[in-house]
Amino acid sequence: MYLIEEKKFRNLGYILAAHEDCMEPDICYPTLLSLHGAGSRGTDLSILRTASAITHAEKLDVKLRIYAPQCYADTWFEIFEQLQEFAEFVYSQPNTDPTRFYLTGGSMGGYTAWQLGMTRPEMFAALSPVCGGGMYWNAGRLKDVPVWAFHGALDNTVYVTESINMVNGVNRSGGHAKLTIFPEAAHNAWDPTYSDLAYWEWMLAQKKSL
C-alpha cells in the first residue's frame, strides 16, 4: 500500500506517494521524480493521485518513494528553474537515497525529463523518458546515466523519431541508452511502461557512485 500526501514546495504543489515499507525516519530509500504530461497541468493535486506511475507502482507493490510535482504554468519549461530547485530539494531529503534517485516523465513530462537529465546528469541514477524528445545534439551529457526510453509506434502527437534521435544521441557519445517501441501503442505509452514489472526491476537495479 502507498501512503499519499499532498504537499507544497514554494509555489509548486506536489504529491508524495511512499510505499508503507519506505516510511522509517532517517533511512534512505529509492526515490523517483515523476513528471506529468500536459493534461495534468493546474493546481488540483487530486489529479496526480491517480497518475500512471503511482497507480502501477502501487499495484505492483514496488517499494520506493515517488515525488510527483504539478506544473501550474503552460509548460514545465516556463518554470524549469523552479523544477531544478525542486529536484535538488527531493534529492536532499533524509529519506532519499542519493545513489538511487531516478527520473521519469511522460509526453510533456518526457521532454522535461530528458532536459532535466541533461541539465543535471550527476544527480540521477537512471532516466526513463516516455514519449518525449529533446535536443539530441546535447544528449551526450547523459553518457554516464543509464537510460531506458519508451514510445508508441503509432504516436501522432509526439513522433517516435523523437525518442530514436535522443537514444541515438546518447549512444553515439558512448552512453548506455535503450528504447522500447510498443508496436500497437499510440500516444499512451506510459501505461504499458509502468505496468511492466521488468521496468521497475531495471530501475531499482541502477545505482550510482557518489
Side-chain angles (χ1 to χ4, degrees):
M1 185 177 74
Y2 270 56
L3 305 175
I4 297 179
E5 299 178 82
E6 296 184 4
K7 293 175 170 287
K8 195 142 191 173
F9 173 78
R10 301 179 186 171
N11 294 329
L12 196 65
Y14 68 94
I15 290 285
L16 169 57
H19 190 280
E20 60 185 345
D21 290 347
C22 300
M23 299 291 292
E24 289 294 325
D26 303 321
I27 295 180
C28 294
Y29 298 101
T31 301
L32 174 66
L33 175 56
S34 179
L35 305 177
H36 66 74
S40 296
R41 291 170 295 183
T43 56
D44 180 5
L45 284 172
S46 65
I47 297 172
L48 301 184
R49 285 179 170 264
T50 56
S52 182
I54 294 173
T55 299
H56 289 300
E58 184 170 25
K59 285 179 181 177
L60 295 170
D61 198 37
V62 181
K63 293 180 173 58
L64 83 163
R65 297 166 67 86
I66 301 175
Y67 285 80
Q70 186 172 37
C71 179
Y72 58 84
D74 190 49
T75 71
W76 282 116
F77 294 108
E78 290 183 30
I79 56 171
F80 192 70
E81 184 175 348
Q82 187 174 4
L83 180 60
Q84 288 186 71
E85 293 171 352
F86 179 74
E88 292 168 359
F89 160 75
V90 176
Y91 183 77
S92 66
Q93 291 304 292
N95 284 125
T96 298
D97 182 347
T99 71
R100 301 175 77 191
F101 183 40
Y102 310 111
L103 175 62
T104 191
S107 192
M108 179 180 78
Y111 276 90
T112 311
W114 279 116
Q115 184 59 40
L116 183 56
M118 290 187 293
T119 303
R120 298 298 304 273
E122 77 287 351
M123 185 179 291
F124 300 104
L127 170 64
S128 53
V130 181
C131 56
M135 297 183 290
Y136 57 88
W137 56 89
N138 201 39
R141 289 182 56 81
L142 292 165
K143 64 183 178 64
D144 296 321
V145 181
V147 176
W148 191 358
F150 301 85
H151 219 114
L154 307 180
D155 193 340
N156 289 321
T157 302
V158 178
Y159 294 117
V160 68
T161 50
E162 291 285 292
S163 286
I164 292 171
N165 288 339
M166 291 301 294
V167 167
N168 287 344
V170 175
N171 292 333
R172 274 196 301 269
S173 300
H176 303 281
K178 59 182 180 177
L179 172 61
T180 292
I181 299 173
F182 301 111
E184 303 300 324
H187 190 50
N188 180 359
W190 45 87
D191 280 329
T193 297
Y194 299 133
S195 63
D196 186 355
L197 183 58
Y199 161 74
W200 297 102
E201 291 175 340
W202 170 85
M203 188 182 71
L204 293 174
Q206 310 308 313
K207 189 173 183 179
K208 69 182 180 69
S209 301
L210 293 179

